[in-house]
Amino acid sequence: MSEHSSVIKEKYNQKADKYDRLMAPMEKMMMAKWRTQLLRNVQGLVLEAGVGTGANLPYYPAGVKVIAVDFSSRMLELAVKKLPQTKAEVELKVADIQALPFSDNTFDTVIAACVFCTVPDPFQGFRELRRVIKPDGKLYFLEHVRSENVLLGPVMDYLNPIVLRHMGSNINRRTEENIQRSGMKILHCDKLFGDIVKRLTVIANK
């Protein structure tokens, strides 16, 4: 793991205990609805990349097996507490999205929610997801990205170093571009909050 990855990992270990409290207002306002929509088409063997404290777990349907990974061990300790709330069969595992411990073409579905703002090398992360998804599998992402608005975009660029230093996340990631650069194809893009929050349906395009 790179030095930068270790720094980000430590930030999330440190803020894990207060993470759910910080996110609670947003969960009530919009995230719960968005998570339900994100998970409605999952099937087969599912990889959740960056499960965090397990916010998605209550929204998984019955009949799927989920391997949920995160590089923050403290986040996973909190995710364990949400296991009784899920209908799916779930295995939690410490792993880095940038170097996944799985064979090629393993998963039918990949899920990631508000994750690629924190992955130190998002391009490598997407390459790894492309590697482990089956050729006919689908990937579903819920991500906040850099706005293309001529005024807001540059403001996000300006503020990003401050947010990254204090929060460990980026607010100006060009996620769609990174997905396409990694060799995958975006089938659908649903704009949920202007052009800042998007739900993306992706195929590996192998």
Side-chain angles (χ1 to χ4, degrees):
M1 181 179 291
S2 70
E3 180 179 355
H4 185 43
S5 294
S6 297
V7 170
I8 300 299
K9 174 182 175 180
E10 186 55 32
K11 284 185 181 294
Y12 276 83
N13 279 331
Q14 291 174 358
K15 69 180 184 179
D17 290 334
K18 57 186 177 183
Y19 189 80
D20 283 348
R21 292 196 299 275
L22 292 173
M23 290 294 295
M26 190 175 296
E27 290 288 342
K28 291 180 180 179
M29 287 189 291
M30 57 193 71
M31 288 298 293
K33 175 183 177 181
W34 291 347
R35 294 185 194 281
T36 300
Q37 294 170 341
L38 181 70
L39 300 178
R40 64 189 175 193
N41 294 316
V42 299
Q43 60 182 3
L45 181 61
V46 181
L47 170 66
E48 180 166 345
V51 66
T53 62
N56 283 330
L57 297 182
Y59 302 95
Y60 278 103
V64 296
K65 167 71 182 291
V66 182
I67 300 179
V69 305
D70 204 281
F71 70 172
S72 168
S73 57
R74 181 57 186 150
M75 286 280 196
L76 287 178
E77 289 172 9
L78 297 173
V80 169
K81 299 179 181 180
K82 295 188 177 73
L83 288 177
Q85 302 176 37
T86 188
K87 299 176 182 178
E89 179 186 350
V90 177
E91 175 186 346
L92 299 173
K93 187 179 183 69
V94 176
D96 186 345
I97 296 170
Q98 301 164 117
L100 291 167
F102 307 114
S103 301
D104 297 357
N105 306 321
T106 295
F107 296 95
D108 300 289
T109 307
V110 168
I111 292 290
C114 300
V115 169
F116 276 87
C117 56
T118 62
V119 178
D121 185 344
F123 177 58
Q124 175 59 22
F126 285 125
R127 288 182 63 187
E128 275 292 271
L129 296 186
R130 181 178 185 270
R131 179 182 67 80
V132 301
I133 191 76
K134 293 178 181 178
D136 60 347
K138 287 188 177 178
L139 307 92
Y140 301 98
F141 300 106
L142 173 63
E143 295 289 339
H144 65 83
V145 301
R146 182 190 187 277
S147 174
E148 294 305 318
N149 180 277
V150 294
L151 297 177
L152 183 55
V155 171
M156 296 174 79
D157 291 336
Y158 177 78
L159 293 175
N160 192 68
I162 300 170
V163 177
L164 180 60
R165 183 166 62 251
H166 291 284
M167 302 297 295
S169 60
N170 296 269
I171 58 172
N172 67 341
R173 286 276 168 88
R174 288 179 163 86
T175 295
E176 291 162 281
E177 180 181 321
N178 287 329
I179 289 172
Q180 292 166 338
R181 284 181 58 224
S182 72
M184 296 191 286
K185 180 179 180 180
I186 299 172
L187 294 181
H188 303 291
C189 173
D190 299 310
K191 295 181 179 180
L192 305 178
F193 188 78
D195 69 341
I196 297 175
V197 181
K198 299 178 179 181
R199 185 174 61 249
L200 303 168
T201 301
V202 176
I203 57 172
N205 206 27
K206 295 183 179 181

